[in-house]
Amino acid sequence: MRRGSRRRRAATAGFHTTGILISVAWFLPILIVLITSFRTFDDVAKNGIASIPRTFTFDTYAQAWQQGDLLPALVNSMIVTIPTVVLTLLLAAAAAFGLSRFKIPFRRTILLIMLAGNLLPVQMLLIPVTRITQQIDVYDTLGALIVVQVAFGLGFYTFVLYGFMRSIPHELQEAATLDGAGVGRIFIQVILPLTRPALAALGALSFTWIFNDLLWSITLLQSSEKLPITAAVLSLQGQYVSSWSVIAAATVVAAIPSTIVFLVFQRSFIGGLALGSVK
């Protein structure tokens, strides 16, 4: 009994110690960026980024806001992110509803093909997608970026929602059908409300992924007035000398919308993940 108790205590202590070390390793870079954002350029250049700060100023945020044109960049990011999240979840929910609730031929093959598209390295598709947008005359437009983001996220979101919707009892759909409800009404009034935790979790994840995307932004957009927040932060880096405190301040500003979305949907996000693990 004593040996078993000691083993449990040692295992518990080891688990908590490992968790603390992982948490510190994850949070330390964020803390360094946050502290650096309040330091002057001379302090960082003289003592280094990881040194103890000797100055404190808010001027770095004002410089980042002005030099990086963060307000238009934030607006552009919202113009791209919000419609992309809504369209992707709507199309993915409709596709998952059809694949999970009806006997469609080769539905598993269709689902695997949609999911396989996400397994391709994005770098392989940069040039083809860019050439296509140029040929159809939509290059350097926010609309092209929205379409590309929707296309590349649709397969994964459909796969996740397919698992949720397939677990919903078919008796609910049959009862709604007997009451005279059509397919559209069943989808909107029966299936979607039951899939709300998954939609909230995917919505928070997709907002973070799309809002923080840099690769497609700098690939499909060229005009400076159309660049989103991530590209605006990148533009603050100089060719020879970079003000890391200003870049850190811009990074903190860019992280605020994603943080707010996560805090607002935190309960739904955790509930969706927990429900998904059970499914």
Side-chain angles (χ1 to χ4, degrees):
M1 295 290 292
R2 291 181 178 178
R3 291 180 180 178
S5 178
R6 291 176 182 176
R7 290 178 180 177
R8 286 193 297 269
R9 291 178 182 176
T12 303
F15 175 79
H16 287 293
T17 302
T18 303
I20 291 173
L21 292 176
I22 293 175
S23 300
V24 171
W26 179 85
F27 186 71
L28 186 59
I30 300 176
L31 182 62
I32 292 176
V33 171
L34 184 61
I35 294 175
T36 303
S37 66
F38 293 102
R39 300 172 63 181
T40 62
F41 173 80
D42 295 335
D43 184 12
V44 175
K46 181 179 180 181
N47 303 302
I49 295 179
S51 63
I52 298 176
R54 293 172 175 80
T55 58
F56 183 87
T57 180
F58 286 98
D59 294 339
T60 52
Y61 284 87
Q63 295 176 18
W65 190 265
Q66 295 175 358
Q67 296 177 10
D69 290 332
L70 296 188
L71 181 58
L74 283 172
V75 173
N76 292 334
S77 293
M78 290 298 180
I79 292 175
V80 172
T81 304
I82 294 177
T84 302
V85 172
V86 174
L87 286 174
T88 306
L89 292 182
L90 181 60
L91 294 175
F97 173 70
L99 293 172
S100 62
R101 312 306 297 184
F102 300 98
K103 295 182 179 180
I104 299 176
F106 306 105
R107 59 179 180 179
R108 290 187 178 181
T109 304
I110 296 173
L111 187 64
L112 290 176
I113 292 175
M114 295 179 66
L115 184 61
N118 295 97
L119 302 179
L120 293 174
V122 177
Q123 292 78 4
M124 294 177 55
L125 304 172
L126 294 179
I127 296 178
V129 172
T130 302
R131 293 293 178 85
I132 292 174
T133 56
Q134 291 174 348
Q135 290 178 359
I136 62 178
D137 199 22
V138 294
Y139 180 73
D140 195 26
T141 62
L142 296 179
L145 185 58
I146 292 174
V147 172
V148 170
Q149 294 284 10
V150 170
F152 280 95
L154 188 59
F156 173 73
Y157 301 146
T158 302
F159 177 78
V160 175
L161 292 175
Y162 171 82
F164 277 84
M165 292 185 181
R166 192 177 64 170
S167 63
I168 298 175
H170 283 269
E171 289 77 9
L172 295 175
Q173 182 175 347
E174 294 173 356
T177 303
L178 292 176
D179 290 338
V183 176
R185 188 174 180 183
I186 293 174
F187 172 65
I188 296 174
Q189 297 185 358
V190 178
I191 302 299
L192 281 185
L194 295 176
T195 322
R196 189 177 302 171
L199 291 174
L202 288 177
L205 282 175
S206 61
F207 184 94
T208 303
W209 291 339
I210 297 167
F211 188 87
N212 295 327
D213 175 72
L214 174 64
L215 186 59
W216 283 117
S217 300
I218 61 177
T219 301
L220 298 178
L221 298 177
Q222 188 176 13
S223 303
S224 59
E225 65 273 8
K226 298 178 182 179
L227 294 179
I229 186 66
T230 51
V233 174
L234 181 63
S235 65
L236 291 173
Q237 184 175 353
Q239 184 177 2
Y240 301 104
V241 179
S242 298
S243 180
W244 295 110
S245 56
V246 175
I247 296 175
T251 303
V252 173
V253 173
I256 291 177
S258 299
T259 304
I260 293 175
V261 170
F262 177 78
L263 293 176
V264 171
F265 294 97
Q266 181 178 7
R267 294 182 60 183
S268 299
F269 178 77
I270 297 175
L273 292 182
L275 185 61
S277 64
V278 175
K279 302 300 182 186

